[in-house]
Amino acid sequence: MLRGDELIILPFLVSLYLIAASPSPSPTRAEPRARAFGMALTGGSLIAALGIAAVFIGLGR
C-alpha cells in the first residue's frame, strides 16, 4: 500500500500512459514509429510499477 509521498507515483504513471496514448489515437492508422513509442512507454511504466510493487512486497509493506 502506498503512503504519503509515495502516492506521487500514481499520477506519474497515469501521465506516462496518456503521453504514450496521445501520438496514436487510432492505432490502426498510426505510423509504426508512433505505435512503438506508445507501446514502449506504456510497457516501461508497467514494468516500473511491477518492480516497485515487488520491492514493497519484499519489504513487507
Side-chain angles (χ1 to χ4, degrees):
M1 186 160 122
L2 297 175
R3 299 179 193 133
D5 290 339
E6 298 166 351
L7 289 172
I8 191 67
I9 194 73
L10 296 176
F12 178 72
L13 291 174
V14 169
S15 63
L16 274 181
Y17 176 78
L18 291 175
I19 290 169
S22 65
S24 56
S26 175
T28 57
R29 289 185 274 166
E31 184 177 335
R33 280 186 275 173
R35 286 192 310 235
F37 169 74
M39 288 173 62
L41 198 55
T42 303
S45 63
L46 175 63
I47 291 169
L50 289 173
I52 291 167
V55 169
F56 282 153
I57 290 170
L59 292 174
R61 290 187 53 193

